[in-house]
Amino acid sequence: FLAKGFKTNIDATAEDLITKIPGVIREDGVIKTQGEEVKQVFVDGKQFFGDDPDIALKNLPAELIEKIQIYDRMSDQAQFTGFDDGQSSKTINIITRQDRQRGQFGKLYGGYGTDDRYLSGGNINLFRQQQRISLIGLVNNINQQNFSSQDLLGISGNRGDRQSGSRGGRGGGGYSGRGRGQSENFLVGGQEGNTDTYSFGLSYVDSWGTDLNLNGSYFFNHTNNANDKVVNRQYFADLENAQFYSENSNSSAQNYNHRVNFRAEYNIDTSNSLIITPKLYFQDNSSLSKLFGSNFLNSNLSSTIDNSNNADNKGYNLSNELLFRHKFDPPGRTISLNVNTGLNRKKAERNVFSLNNYFDIGAFNEDTTNQKTDQLTNGYNLSSNLVYTEPVGEDAQIQASFAANFSRSQSDKKTNSFNLTSQLYDELDSVLSNEYKNDYSTLRGGLSYRFRTEVLNFSAGLSYQQSSLKGEQIFPLANTLKKEYKKFLPNVRLQYKISESSNLRFYYTANINPPSISQLQNTPDNTNTLFLSSGNPELNEEYSHRISARYLSTNVQTGSSFFAMIFFNYTNNSIGNTTINAFRDTLLPTGIFLRKGSQLTYPINFDHSYSIRSFVNNGIPIELIKCNLNLNTSFNFNLTPGQVNEIRNFSKSYSVSQGVMLNSNISEVIDFRISYSPIYNITKNDMQTELNRDYFVHNVSAGFYWLFLERFYVKSDFSYYFNQGISKDLKREYYLWGGAAGVKLFGDKSGELKFETFDILDQNKSLNRTITETYIEDKSTIVLRRYFMLSFIYSLRMFGG
């Protein structure tokens, strides 16, 4: 896409520009294109701040961009061989203008507002052709966060809850009901509640001669988060019992993390190359939470919990990828070796104090839990993949591959109860303690055939994988579990070029997914003593089949485009949850004692699960009003198995959405957007059909920018949220409106004074519905409310020197 085909205001970022491109939207805090999440953003074909799309999109000005490429980027090894290995990711490549590839540019800003709200930060970029140095910084308490998925390692521990299904009810049409609207979008949607952020980043890209390309980045992030939460949950129980749970909680958390990425590509000679990609992540997280919950059985209060727990987590994750590639004299004959290594460690300390009350006819029981848990989890992995390709005639190739993988995970968890006599935590609870080691190894060999012409690219292959899973429990009881698996894994890929402007793609792959160490450990997690969770050492691997078909058509003359995609995933031995609801005091065979009104959840294998996802987008320029109209339709279906008290339930979730977005394409001085995205959700259950739900979520948003008299501007963002059928206890609608007015200063307009408001109507809310295989949950959290702020911004633009 040519950037000049999309008009943006003079202060627009790369994100403002690309979201005008047909099929590109921001949804639930992530950039999506053609119905898929964007995983990487490159600048002139090179990484920018590692694998974090948001940093590039938020910190590069739109005026820097000449073209934007959107494509499926294959792995480095697959790009070399030409055989897709199934590891492709949706990628955006920003191609900069020739006259902007040398110079210094950036922005510095600072602001202060009512209720002690503040925001300061900026970015500085030094571009000298091949050498590019970028610095970014951000300090604020208005929910602007620079998170990527790596920054959240270990924040939320794995408790075996595999939440899936239909999601809806996030407030505010892209605002997520939490912060500053379009400014608070991040890769993983951010943390709930209100967050203070302090972050700094450095990126370095350079070419040393013609043979060595370097790319490195460092990112530091510190956050303070506070949250109040209200949860209402209805469980899928058996036909004679109904279970409801309500909870009020407040929590706080501090998180520190360091992220280092590096990549060196060395072209040894015309036939050999070497790529080294190390990554290192450190994290330190501490949290404190308090909650009060009530459990109801058949509308009668069965139990309550008054719980507080604090936790400290420290850990790191180190990985490295090495890829050697060699080309032989006959074109198409190649050999490549990929070696991956990884090392991780996490140390966690947690204190839980819980006062539980259990109610029965004519009886009342009180139970107190006061425990301290120390857990050390570490592991490593080694993997390699050797690939050889051989040409067959002028248009075909054969590929032979062999891959080996070994990974080890270890966990040592000790839970001690408080001793009233010694006043120490020195009474070991063997039910809540264990020491476990898990080894997983695979050997895979395969052959593939590829045929390629100007219009057709076809490949088909078959691999045979033998895998071994060995679990060894050392404490409290010595036990060894060993399983062997053998599977054939076929794959088919077809790309057909219908014309210069349209193509069709079809993929089929089969994969094996082993259970994680947390899913295999049978030691309960009692963070919430009413809702225990644990793993299951008897789990088997999942075997999944994935089919996707995509059609793309563009019209260069008119600027219109049409895209359609359908994705189908079918999983045998799918891992889901089973829940034991104690309708009376129950001692389980594992030694766990469940009071009436409490429950235990753990994973098991089900026969199958499947999902269907489809997306259609039509982009149409309207020359009469100089706007681009985007229409997108999606349909999603999930069949998720679950089990409650030996009764299996298949939860079927349907969602249909129709998005309409109108983006102006008038000029740099006036810009607007209008969008409407209704989503209709249906949930049906085989058991307890009275829990079937239909609900409608409406999101309307609009934005406006106007620069007048060459120096003055006004802009405004507006969202309207409305739901039908989510919950009687949550407000069904609200408006979120913000705006700003400013003036450009100095002769070159490099300075700017801005007055802005957020949530003028003081109505911001957070609403969220989650549907899993065992319950329906409605949740509300605290959000940022109305404030006013005065800011000064200085922009640096010096190109060509």
Side-chain angles (χ1 to χ4, degrees):
F1 297 91
L2 283 173
K4 66 181 181 181
F6 304 92
K7 302 295 184 182
T8 58
N9 68 70
I10 59 175
D11 298 317
T13 64
E15 179 184 338
D16 298 324
L17 175 61
I18 70 162
T19 50
K20 289 198 170 197
I21 294 176
V24 181
I25 59 173
R26 181 170 280 283
E27 182 179 85
D28 289 337
V30 299
I31 291 290
K32 293 184 178 180
T33 178
Q34 301 172 356
E36 299 179 79
E37 180 181 340
V38 174
K39 297 293 187 181
Q40 299 179 94
V41 171
F42 287 80
V43 178
D44 292 326
K46 298 178 180 179
Q47 286 185 332
F48 189 81
F49 279 96
D51 294 330
D52 193 335
D54 266 16
I55 292 183
L57 297 179
K58 290 184 178 302
N59 289 281
L60 291 177
E63 65 172 308
L64 189 77
I65 302 172
E66 180 179 356
K67 298 178 184 178
I68 295 172
Q69 292 178 323
I70 299 174
Y71 65 105
D72 294 309
R73 184 182 187 275
M74 296 190 295
S75 68
D76 291 316
Q77 190 169 28
Q79 290 181 58
F80 179 69
T81 63
F83 287 79
D84 192 341
D85 57 8
Q87 299 182 36
S88 62
S89 58
K90 189 64 70 177
T91 301
I92 290 177
N93 182 34
I94 294 174
I95 301 174
T96 58
R97 291 166 47 179
Q98 289 289 330
D99 60 346
R100 294 292 190 266
Q101 293 182 357
R102 289 185 62 88
Q104 302 83 43
F105 63 92
K107 183 179 291 186
L108 299 173
Y109 52 87
Y112 187 78
T114 56
D115 300 322
D116 290 325
R117 299 296 177 188
Y118 59 86
L119 166 68
S120 65
N123 63 82
I124 299 294
N125 301 273
L126 311 176
F127 278 24
R128 297 180 181 90
Q129 294 295 348
Q130 299 299 323
Q131 185 186 83
R132 299 181 177 184
I133 301 173
S134 300
L135 297 93
I136 61 170
L138 179 64
V139 178
N140 75 93
N141 63 353
I142 55 173
N143 271 13
Q144 285 197 25
Q145 303 170 49
N146 274 332
F147 282 138
S148 80
S149 57
Q150 298 98 323
D151 300 320
L152 299 176
L153 291 173
I155 285 182
S156 55
N158 189 331
R159 298 185 54 207
D161 297 330
R162 289 167 54 97
Q163 297 187 355
S164 58
S166 174
R167 294 177 179 266
R170 289 191 183 271
Y175 287 89
S176 298
R178 284 192 293 274
R180 291 172 47 84
Q182 303 305 322
S183 299
E184 66 98 27
N185 297 313
F186 2 92
L187 179 63
V188 293
Q191 293 173 293
E192 293 177 344
N194 292 333
T195 303
D196 302 347
T197 301
Y198 312 86
S199 62
F200 169 80
L202 170 67
S203 175
Y204 173 80
V205 177
D206 201 358
S207 294
W208 293 5
T210 59
D211 299 327
L212 181 60
N213 297 315
L214 301 176
N215 188 323
S217 66
Y218 166 73
F219 187 74
F220 166 76
N221 202 52
H222 167 50
T223 60
N224 293 317
N225 174 263
N227 188 30
D228 293 336
K229 183 167 57 178
V230 176
V231 172
N232 291 296
R233 193 180 294 164
Q234 186 170 3
Y235 283 85
F236 305 134
D238 57 40
L239 298 176
E240 298 179 356
N241 298 280
Q243 183 177 5
F244 303 87
Y245 175 72
S246 63
E247 175 186 296
N248 288 271
S249 65
N250 58 76
S251 61
S252 62
Q254 284 195 358
N255 186 68
Y256 297 85
N257 74 276
H258 305 264
R259 171 161 40 104
V260 180
N261 292 272
F262 186 77
R263 176 186 170 96
E265 184 171 353
Y266 178 44
N267 297 313
I268 303 171
D269 52 39
T270 56
S271 299
N272 300 281
S273 67
L274 183 67
I275 299 176
I276 302 175
T277 313
K279 299 178 182 180
L280 177 61
Y281 310 133
F282 284 100
Q283 187 177 59
D284 187 343
N285 176 266
S286 60
S287 62
L288 172 65
S289 66
K290 297 182 179 181
L291 69 86
F292 182 82
S294 300
N295 218 358
F296 296 86
L297 292 177
N298 298 321
S299 301
N300 297 316
L301 181 65
S302 63
S303 58
T304 63
I305 178 173
D306 190 351
N307 174 286
S308 66
N309 73 78
N310 58 71
D312 290 292
N313 298 278
K314 294 182 176 66
Y316 64 83
N317 194 328
L318 171 65
S319 64
N320 184 57
E321 180 180 358
L322 186 149
L323 174 61
F324 174 76
R325 305 182 295 188
H326 175 75
K327 293 186 294 184
F328 295 95
D329 288 335
R333 180 181 296 171
T334 69
I335 190 168
S336 59
L337 175 65
N338 184 291
V339 178
N340 285 276
T341 58
L343 184 67
N344 63 82
R345 186 180 190 272
K346 178 183 173 183
K347 185 177 182 181
E349 297 179 0
R350 191 182 79 235
N351 289 82
V352 175
F353 181 85
S354 182
L355 178 62
N356 292 5
N357 293 318
Y358 302 93
F359 305 92
D360 204 347
I361 299 175
F364 168 78
N365 293 299
E366 186 177 87
D367 186 24
T368 301
T369 299
N370 187 1
Q371 293 180 329
K372 179 181 179 181
T373 298
D374 295 294
Q375 183 172 7
L376 177 64
T377 305
N378 54 53
Y380 64 89
N381 65 277
L382 302 168
S383 64
S384 63
N385 187 28
L386 181 65
V387 176
Y388 175 80
T389 63
E390 179 70 25
V392 180
E394 294 184 357
D395 300 322
Q397 276 180 299
I398 291 179
Q399 173 182 273
S401 63
F402 178 78
N405 172 75
F406 177 81
S407 62
R408 168 167 290 182
S409 301
Q410 300 179 89
S411 176
D412 186 356
K413 179 181 179 182
K414 296 294 187 293
T415 299
N416 289 278
S417 298
F418 186 71
N419 189 330
L420 293 175
T421 303
S422 65
Q423 295 293 298
L424 298 172
Y425 291 94
D426 56 11
E427 292 183 349
L428 183 65
D429 189 332
S430 59
V431 175
L432 299 177
S433 303
N434 84 338
E435 188 174 350
Y436 193 87
K437 181 171 66 175
N438 177 57
D439 292 342
Y440 181 71
S441 60
T442 63
L443 295 174
R444 179 192 291 199
L447 287 173
S448 299
Y449 172 79
R450 180 191 183 203
F451 177 80
R452 183 176 184 177
T453 64
E454 289 187 0
V455 298
L456 178 65
N457 189 345
F458 170 80
S459 68
L462 181 66
S463 298
Y464 177 75
Q465 177 169 308
Q466 179 176 322
S467 53
S468 172
L469 179 64
K470 180 181 179 181
E472 182 182 357
Q473 181 173 282
I474 303 168
F475 179 85
L477 297 175
N479 184 36
T480 300
L481 177 70
K482 188 172 183 179
K483 297 184 178 182
E484 301 282 345
Y485 307 97
K486 299 177 182 179
K487 289 288 185 182
F488 283 99
L489 304 174
N491 67 82
V492 177
R493 294 178 176 86
L494 182 147
Q495 299 180 36
Y496 180 66
K497 185 178 179 181
I498 301 172
S499 66
E500 290 296 327
S501 59
S502 62
N503 63 73
L504 177 67
R505 298 183 179 188
F506 172 85
Y507 294 146
Y508 164 73
T509 58
N511 293 283
I512 290 177
N513 306 308
S516 66
I517 186 171
S518 60
Q519 291 176 322
L520 290 169
Q521 292 181 78
N522 59 359
T523 305
D525 183 331
N526 68 334
T527 302
N528 185 327
T529 49
L530 286 185
F531 297 94
L532 304 178
S533 63
S534 75
N536 177 10
E538 299 297 327
L539 285 178
N540 290 318
E541 293 180 316
E542 293 181 327
Y543 183 42
S544 62
H545 306 264
R546 300 175 183 176
I547 299 174
S548 67
R550 295 184 291 179
Y551 171 77
L552 173 65
S553 176
T554 60
N555 188 316
V556 178
Q557 286 73 30
T558 64
S560 62
S561 69
F562 178 83
F563 176 84
M565 178 272 291
I566 185 167
F567 175 88
F568 175 73
N569 185 82
Y570 184 91
T571 303
N572 293 108
N573 287 330
S574 63
I575 297 176
N577 282 333
T578 182
T579 299
I580 300 174
N581 287 326
F583 299 116
R584 61 187 62 85
D585 289 353
T586 305
L587 179 63
L588 301 178
T590 57
I592 299 174
F593 181 69
L594 292 180
R595 289 279 194 178
K596 179 182 178 181
S598 59
Q599 66 175 224
L600 171 68
T601 299
Y602 59 92
I604 63 172
N605 288 104
F606 292 90
D607 291 336
H608 66 276
S609 66
Y610 62 87
S611 63
I612 300 172
R613 180 165 53 92
S614 63
F615 179 83
V616 177
N617 184 88
N618 194 10
I620 308 168
I622 305 177
E623 291 296 331
L624 182 63
I625 57 174
K626 293 185 177 180
C627 291
N628 293 319
L629 177 66
N630 279 291
L631 305 173
N632 59 76
T633 306
S634 66
F635 170 78
N636 298 311
F637 171 76
N638 291 279
L639 183 140
T640 309
Q643 181 171 293
V644 179
N645 288 358
E646 304 298 327
I647 298 176
R648 295 204 169 185
N649 174 67
F650 282 89
S651 177
K652 304 178 182 69
S653 299
Y654 308 79
S655 70
V656 181
S657 68
Q658 175 61 62
V660 181
M661 179 176 289
L662 186 69
N663 279 304
S664 69
N665 204 23
I666 300 174
S667 71
E668 293 183 346
V669 299
I670 188 166
D671 191 20
F672 66 84
R673 58 172 176 80
I674 304 172
S675 69
Y676 173 50
S677 303
I679 304 174
Y680 186 61
N681 299 273
I682 302 172
T683 302
K684 295 185 178 296
N685 300 280
D686 289 347
M687 309 301 298
Q688 282 196 286
T689 56
E690 66 273 12
L691 292 183
N692 292 347
R693 293 287 186 272
D694 297 358
Y695 61 98
F696 220 140
V697 176
H698 305 261
N699 282 290
V700 180
S701 68
F704 174 77
Y705 175 93
W706 179 33
L707 177 69
F708 58 96
L709 299 178
E710 295 186 351
R711 289 185 177 273
F712 299 90
Y713 70 87
V714 292
K715 64 179 180 179
S716 182
D717 288 285
F718 175 82
S719 288
Y720 169 69
Y721 169 88
F722 176 75
N723 76 75
Q724 291 175 294
I726 282 192
S727 175
K728 297 178 181 178
D729 301 320
L730 300 179
K731 187 176 180 180
R732 298 177 61 186
E733 65 176 346
Y734 65 86
Y735 302 87
L736 192 59
W737 180 26
V743 57
K744 302 290 183 178
L745 305 175
F746 312 136
D748 58 358
K749 302 178 184 178
S750 58
E752 180 182 327
L753 192 64
K754 178 174 67 173
F755 177 77
E756 63 181 320
T757 64
F758 172 75
D759 191 19
I760 297 173
L761 303 177
D762 202 25
Q763 291 192 3
N764 193 16
K765 297 287 183 182
S766 170
L767 309 176
N768 192 316
R769 163 159 286 193
T770 301
I771 299 175
T772 75
E773 62 270 34
T774 54
Y775 60 77
I776 298 174
E777 177 184 276
D778 293 320
K779 177 174 63 178
S780 176
T781 64
I782 65 168
V783 292
L784 196 64
R785 304 299 293 267
R786 180 172 56 197
Y787 68 85
F788 303 88
M789 180 175 288
L790 183 65
S791 304
F792 175 76
I793 301 111
Y794 179 78
S795 297
L796 173 68
R797 291 184 178 92
M798 297 175 62
F799 294 103

